[in-house]
Amino acid sequence: IVLNDPKKLYSYAQFNSELQVLRNFVTNRKNYLNANAEMQQIAPVIADAPYAVNGVQYQQPAENQTVNVRSTISSVNGIDNVQLYYSNNIVGRFTKTQMFDDGLHDDSLAADGIYGGTIPGFAAGTWVRYYVQAAAANTAKSVSYMPAGAEHNVFIYTIAPNASSDTSIVINEVMASNVT
């Protein structure tokens, strides 16, 4: 394609020589980053991040009912902090709240590697997105996410819609049955 380009700014030979320069640059940059001490730091491992309502995993929450999220997290360097991000919008910003491993936040026992956080209740029919971020206690503060690819890949649940108290039958359309 470059060879046949009628509006090219440089010769085909120049293109080929610069292609090798670009390849060398990418190789050198990769080697530099792989040798960097911060790049070699190990990030935490997040095993799971299920939500629960009243202690029942994956139960659909009712209107204005809080949801608890638990994550089992480990790190060879220890954990600096764990954050729970949530949003009640399909797109847009997340709200951040800290998760704890102190035995007081629906996280089982203190210092057992299970972290707990809370998402507040929302209106009926709301879609809620969330994900978990864990930072290691190393010099680089290496970070992991659950699910991987967060903020784009997230966990989602919906708040149960309100049921109508009126269960009577309503006729909202009439159609004639013509013979001719």
Side-chain angles (χ1 to χ4, degrees), residues 11-28:
S11 70
Y12 187 63
Q14 289 172 314
F15 170 78
N16 283 330
S17 67
E18 289 303 311
L19 186 59
Q20 190 56 49
V21 170
L22 181 60
R23 285 183 182 143
N24 291 341
F25 171 78
V26 170
T27 300
N28 292 339

Side-chain angles (χ1 to χ4, degrees), residues 3-169:
L3 183 62
N4 297 327
D5 185 358
K7 296 181 181 182
K8 60 184 166 237
L9 302 173
Y10 40 80
S11 70
Y12 187 63
Q14 289 172 314
F15 170 78
N16 283 330
S17 67
E18 289 303 311
L19 186 59
Q20 190 56 49
V21 170
L22 181 60
R23 285 183 182 143
N24 291 341
F25 171 78
V26 170
T27 300
N28 292 339
R29 186 69 180 156
K30 177 185 169 207
N31 292 339
Y32 170 79
L33 289 173
N34 285 336
N36 186 300
E38 287 190 9
M39 296 296 290
Q40 294 177 2
Q41 298 292 323
I42 299 172
V45 175
I46 306 173
D48 55 9
Y51 74 88
V53 177
N54 294 327
V56 180
Q57 226 176 44
Y58 301 117
Q59 177 179 323
Q60 187 176 33
E63 185 171 36
N64 297 319
Q65 192 170 30
T66 60
V67 171
N68 297 313
V69 176
R70 272 189 181 182
S71 286
T72 304
I73 303 171
S74 61
S75 176
V76 295
N77 299 312
I79 303 292
D80 182 66
N81 67 74
V82 178
Q83 304 294 330
L84 171 62
Y85 290 82
Y86 65 88
S87 175
N88 63 333
N89 298 309
I90 295 299
V91 296
R93 294 184 176 191
F94 288 83
T95 300
K96 175 174 73 169
T97 185
Q98 187 172 355
M99 295 181 76
F100 299 92
D101 184 13
D102 58 4
L104 303 173
H105 293 86
D106 192 37
D107 61 301
S108 193
L109 304 172
D112 63 353
I114 299 174
Y115 290 76
T118 303
I119 299 175
F122 292 104
T126 302
W127 289 67
V128 179
R129 304 177 297 147
Y130 75 94
Y131 67 93
V132 174
Q133 170 192 293
N138 56 31
T139 56
K141 302 287 187 232
S142 304
V143 176
S144 292
Y145 298 95
M146 174 61 82
E151 296 180 346
H152 303 286
N153 298 332
V154 294
F155 296 114
I156 298 175
Y157 63 87
T158 59
I159 308 300
N162 288 331
S164 174
S165 59
D166 182 9
T167 58
S168 59
I169 297 175

